[in-house]
Amino acid sequence: LVSQFLRAMPVDVPLRREQEGFGAALIFKDTQLCLQIGNMTESGAFARYNRWVSEKDRVLEDDCIIAVDGHRGKALELIARVKMKQIGETVVFTVVRPPTELMTLPPPSH
């Protein structure tokens, strides 16, 4: 039995900051180095982005934002960078999918 881990490549997601936010909860602990995406709405900025990109580039709940406008840091620093943007300005989130474990079985013996 062989175990492999897959990790998606980071994807840059440009979104305009809107009055009502981005249409997802950003979940974090202050010492983490990412923001976890949760509770996405069907009408928010993330959902609109997902309608325009290929399936492999879509943002999903539980994906992680590892940078904001190219800047990495602790979760509180990332949140602060998002809050610095004015309504209507673009924020570029660098998003990665948490690793997924896949099990590869050997071919059946005859």
Side-chain angles (χ1 to χ4, degrees), residues 30-105:
D30 58 351
T31 57
Q32 288 179 320
L33 296 175
C34 73
L35 303 170
Q36 184 179 1
I37 297 169
N39 298 329
M40 289 175 54
T41 66
E42 292 183 19
S43 61
F46 280 109
R48 280 194 299 284
Y49 169 84
N50 283 346
R51 287 193 283 276
W52 288 99
V53 298
S54 66
E55 188 172 342
K56 71 176 182 60
D57 290 333
R58 289 182 184 153
V59 176
L60 304 176
E61 289 183 7
D62 295 327
D63 283 356
C64 295
I65 297 168
I66 59 169
V68 174
D69 291 333
H71 298 279
R72 292 178 180 241
K74 291 185 179 177
L76 287 177
E77 296 166 10
L78 298 177
I79 286 288
R81 287 200 170 273
V82 172
K83 288 182 177 180
M84 285 177 17
K85 293 289 187 168
Q86 301 297 314
I87 303 301
E89 288 187 314
T90 298
V91 179
V92 179
F93 295 104
T94 303
V95 177
V96 295
R97 183 137 311 130
T100 304
E101 183 179 4
L102 292 181
M103 301 304 281
T104 306
L105 301 174

Side-chain angles (χ1 to χ4, degrees), residues 9-45:
M9 296 298 296
V11 175
D12 286 335
V13 178
L15 299 177
R16 264 188 29 193
R17 180 156 187 209
E18 300 172 354
Q19 185 70 36
E20 59 277 351
F22 296 99
L26 301 180
I27 306 161
F28 66 94
K29 295 181 181 152
D30 58 351
T31 57
Q32 288 179 320
L33 296 175
C34 73
L35 303 170
Q36 184 179 1
I37 297 169
N39 298 329
M40 289 175 54
T41 66
E42 292 183 19
S43 61

